[in-house]
Amino acid sequence: MVLFARPRGTDWLCNAARVDAALENLYRLARIPLSYKPNRHGGYVTLPAGCGFGGGRTRPGSYANTAHNAPLVQEVLADAAVQRVANYVDAGLQAYFPKLHRFYHNLLAAILRDSPDIVQMFQGCCYGACHFNLHNASTIDHEDWYNILFGMCAVYSSGTYDYTRSGHFIAWSLGIVAQFPPACAVYVPSACVTHANTPIAGHETGSSAAFFMSAGLARWYYNGFMSDKEYRERATVEQMKAWNAD
């Protein structure tokens, strides 16, 4: 696990304030359906962006939002301050995990070539997707098993909370508890490490942008741009032996 410190200077603090405002505005304007239930990570509101494969899809595609929420999410993605955060987490991954960064970059490029209907979430960012976790996003213990097992999820913190008293990032299976200041990013192998973050006070706000790469995209690419089911139906005996061994 790596905590990537925020850049120094007032310029980055001003950028962070713009991101805080954009995510709080998304929280205020989003309409959550009556059928919405707390997700398995916690009881906060979360909205997806980017692309993935799995969950009943027949091929890779963009994550869906309601007709009301979709343009609001797109507005956040187009915000120059949020774009800068995406470049920031990309730079951190490249600095600490250059081979993984190259793998993500090449995988996403291949998926976009194969599925031209998918619009890249952020230019200059190797992650395929993110979740905007809004307003009071404290999570319970969980693993993100739909992400690539050996990958690193990047979580950018946002809000106005006292990070010395709340909002700590916990990697339970690593035995790590760390302060997680706003405008910083943490990298964690989220599919195999149980993690969470502590609640914030009622008068505070704490949002995050969690960047990830769907394991389904990697399987789709590895299978020659087809699902596991389709690959098994088409593969020869020799190909299946190699596939199972891998």
Side-chain angles (χ1 to χ4, degrees):
M1 191 183 86
V2 174
L3 180 64
F4 191 36
R6 64 190 179 193
R8 296 180 179 179
T10 56
D11 179 55
W12 183 252
L13 293 179
C14 290
N15 192 85
R18 286 183 56 187
V19 174
D20 295 346
L23 295 183
E24 276 299 297
N25 190 56
L26 177 60
Y27 174 75
R28 288 194 301 270
L29 296 179
R31 293 178 185 168
I32 306 304
L34 294 176
S35 59
Y36 179 87
K37 296 180 180 179
N39 64 86
R40 67 178 187 85
H41 295 171
Y44 56 90
V45 173
T46 182
L47 296 174
C51 63
F53 178 61
R57 293 181 180 86
T58 58
R59 62 175 296 109
S62 299
Y63 289 116
N65 286 289
T66 65
H68 175 82
N69 292 340
L72 299 176
V73 171
Q74 193 56 46
E75 184 177 347
V76 172
L77 294 176
D79 191 304
V82 179
Q83 171 68 52
R84 189 176 179 189
V85 166
N87 297 152
Y88 162 73
V89 298
D90 180 271
L93 189 72
Q94 187 172 30
Y96 288 102
F97 308 98
K99 291 182 179 179
L100 182 62
H101 179 274
R102 185 164 60 251
F103 172 76
Y104 278 8
H105 174 83
N106 293 339
L107 173 60
L108 182 59
I111 294 297
L112 295 175
R113 286 194 301 269
D114 178 63
S115 303
D117 56 312
I118 296 176
V119 178
Q120 186 171 358
M121 180 176 61
F122 293 113
Q123 295 298 319
C125 181
C126 67
Y127 284 99
C130 76
H131 272 101
F132 294 120
N133 306 314
L134 303 174
H135 189 63
N136 56 353
S138 61
T139 61
I140 59 178
D141 306 351
H142 67 281
E143 302 89 26
D144 300 302
W145 55 70
Y146 289 116
N147 296 351
I148 293 177
L149 183 64
F150 56 84
M152 299 292 283
C153 177
V155 183
Y156 171 84
S157 62
S158 173
T160 55
Y161 59 92
D162 182 355
Y163 67 88
T164 66
R165 298 170 62 89
S166 59
H168 289 63
F169 191 90
I170 306 173
W172 288 102
S173 46
L174 299 180
I176 295 174
V177 179
Q179 292 181 353
F180 192 13
C184 292
V186 65
Y187 297 84
V188 61
S190 62
C192 58
V193 168
T194 304
H195 57 285
N197 66 290
T198 59
I200 59 174
H203 66 279
E204 297 176 321
T205 62
S207 297
S208 65
F211 295 79
F212 63 95
M213 185 68 82
S214 162
L217 294 179
R219 294 197 300 273
W220 178 269
Y221 172 77
Y222 179 78
N223 292 339
F225 302 103
M226 65 183 76
S227 66
D228 289 354
K229 180 177 182 295
E230 186 178 2
Y231 184 87
R232 288 193 295 264
E233 290 172 348
R234 294 186 178 191
T236 65
V237 173
E238 290 75 16
Q239 287 174 325
M240 280 308 304
K241 286 182 179 179
W243 192 85
N244 287 325
D246 286 345

